[in-house]
């Protein structure tokens, strides 16, 4: 791919919503502006191969099998199926079943396939790494796309860049007594007041116990039980599944 460099493509957009965030009168207004700003990156970096879970009758399932990759099917009751599948049609499956792949690709679930521009998302994270790299040295325990955990002795190097504006650092947690960093976006923090802060990518931290973090940190696998609720016509159906997590993966 080749892309033409352009400056300040989103300057007006970012400036507008950043001012909304800084001048918000309520927590909801601030949260909304922050979400819109973060969603700009997320929108462009979305994987078009999304996974969807839907309740389908037998006829709808039979049609879907002709165009899409089916990951799992759970029969809830007669004629009602809980189907987990890849949202975008498969060219291989369409060709094998005689379906028009181009037609199905253009429109998914009655709407046009959402727009992605991975080059923009990649540029954002690349510039973030450029800004973070000078700080990756002794005194750093963990770093991510736009965050860093440092020793107190290293704090003075950040003081001149701490503030409320774009491009400045913000102190999220002042004093951490102990920390366990398992993987990127997967860590456990013991704070000065004895409370814990848990971060677990791709999964609600409420499902993971403190002991689970310690096991992962020590190289052991854990199994997490997850429940999902699906509202049907007459009742609510609960589907329970288990996920085994490997610290090496």
């Amino acid at each position: 791919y080749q892309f033409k460099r352009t400056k300040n493509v989103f300057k007006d957009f970012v400036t507008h919503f950043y001012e909304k965030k800084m001048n918000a009168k309520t927590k909801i207004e601030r949260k909304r502006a922050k979400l819109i700003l973060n969603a700009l990156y997320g929108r462009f970096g979305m994987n078009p191969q999304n996974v969807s879970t839907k309740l389908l009758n037998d006829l709808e399932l039979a049609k879907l099998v002709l165009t899409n990759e089916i990951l799992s099917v759970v029969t809830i009751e007669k004629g009602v199926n809980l189907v987990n599948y890849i949202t975008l049609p498969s060219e291989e499956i369409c060709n094998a079943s005689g379906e028009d792949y181009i037609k199905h690709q253009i429109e998914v679930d009655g709407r046009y396939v959402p727009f992605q521009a991975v080059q923009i998302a990649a540029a954002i994270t690349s510039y973030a790494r450029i800004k973070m790299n000078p700080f990756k040295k002794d005194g750093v325990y963990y770093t991510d796309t736009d965050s860093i955990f440092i020793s107190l002795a290293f704090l003075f190097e950040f003081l001149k860049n701490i503030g409320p504006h774009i491009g400045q650092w913000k102190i999220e947690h002042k004093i951490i007594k102990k920390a366990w960093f398992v993987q990127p976006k997967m860590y456990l923090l013991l704070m000065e007041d004895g409370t814990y802060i848990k971060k677990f990518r791709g999964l609600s931290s409420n499902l993971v116990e403190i002991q689970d973090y310690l096991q992962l940190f020590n190289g052991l696998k854990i199994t997490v039980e997850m429940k999902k609720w699906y509202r049907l016509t007459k009742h609510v159906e609960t589907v329970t599944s288990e996920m085994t997590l490997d610290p090496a993966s």
Side-chain angles (χ1 to χ4, degrees):
Y1 296 96
Q2 293 183 345
F3 305 103
K4 184 178 179 181
R5 181 183 292 273
T6 304
K7 292 184 178 181
N8 301 323
V9 178
F10 302 108
K11 182 179 179 180
D12 293 342
F13 178 92
V14 172
T15 300
H16 173 78
F17 284 103
Y18 185 74
E19 290 177 354
K20 289 278 188 182
K21 174 186 170 184
M22 296 299 295
N23 300 320
K25 296 180 180 179
T26 66
K27 289 184 178 179
I28 294 177
E29 289 180 358
R30 188 180 188 281
K31 187 73 174 180
R32 180 174 58 192
K34 182 179 179 180
L35 181 62
I36 292 173
L37 285 169
N38 291 342
L40 178 65
Y41 158 73
R43 174 76 266 173
F44 289 123
M46 281 182 63
N47 183 351
Q49 288 285 17
N50 292 324
V51 175
S52 183
T53 302
K54 287 187 176 182
L55 287 169
L56 303 177
N57 60 38
D58 292 339
L59 180 59
E60 290 170 329
L61 176 57
K63 290 182 178 179
L64 188 66
V65 169
L66 299 176
T67 57
N68 294 63
E69 180 183 351
I70 308 298
L71 302 178
S72 66
V73 178
V74 177
T75 301
I76 304 299
E77 58 185 39
K78 186 177 181 180
V80 179
N81 307 286
L82 184 65
V83 184
N84 186 243
Y85 65 98
I86 303 296
T87 307
L88 288 185
S90 163
E91 184 174 6
E92 182 180 355
I93 294 175
C94 285
N95 291 338
S97 62
E99 292 290 326
D100 187 337
Y101 170 68
I102 300 299
K103 175 183 176 182
H104 288 287
Q105 185 187 42
I106 293 175
E107 195 169 319
V108 176
D109 293 337
R111 58 184 175 82
Y112 287 104
V113 175
F115 174 78
Q116 289 88 24
V118 70
Q119 70 274 18
I120 295 176
I124 292 172
T125 52
S126 295
Y127 280 117
R129 283 193 292 272
I130 291 172
K131 189 171 181 65
M132 295 289 291
N133 280 338
F135 298 97
K136 295 179 181 179
K137 46 190 174 181
D138 292 341
V140 173
Y141 299 110
Y142 171 88
T143 181
D144 210 329
T145 307
D146 60 353
S147 64
I148 194 167
F149 289 79
I150 61 172
S151 65
L152 289 176
F154 195 41
L155 182 61
F156 72 94
E157 293 196 28
F158 288 82
L159 290 178
K160 62 182 179 181
N161 290 315
I162 293 176
H165 302 296
I166 292 177
Q168 291 185 303
W169 294 101
K170 175 185 176 184
I171 298 178
E172 293 283 355
H173 310 299
K174 292 185 177 180
I175 299 180
I176 302 169
K177 291 180 64 176
K178 196 170 183 178
W180 297 263
F181 299 108
V182 181
Q183 289 182 1
K185 303 184 187 301
M186 189 186 298
Y187 53 78
L188 175 69
L189 308 178
L190 174 59
M191 308 308 292
E192 188 178 27
D193 60 3
T195 60
Y196 286 92
I197 293 176
K198 299 184 292 183
K199 182 79 171 182
F200 207 101
R201 72 170 187 271
L203 194 65
S204 171
S205 59
N206 295 327
L207 297 174
V208 187
E209 302 294 336
I210 291 174
Q211 188 60 36
D212 293 328
Y213 283 93
L214 301 182
Q215 283 188 240
L216 288 169
F217 184 78
N218 289 314
L220 302 175
K221 295 181 180 181
I222 66 169
T223 299
V224 178
E225 184 179 85
M226 299 177 295
K227 292 184 178 180
K228 291 185 178 181
W229 289 267
Y230 298 93
R231 184 175 298 278
L232 303 181
T233 305
K234 298 180 180 179
H235 64 282
V236 174
E237 181 73 21
T238 302
V239 177
T240 302
S241 60
E242 290 186 346
M243 176 185 290
T244 300
L245 302 167
D246 188 341
S249 61

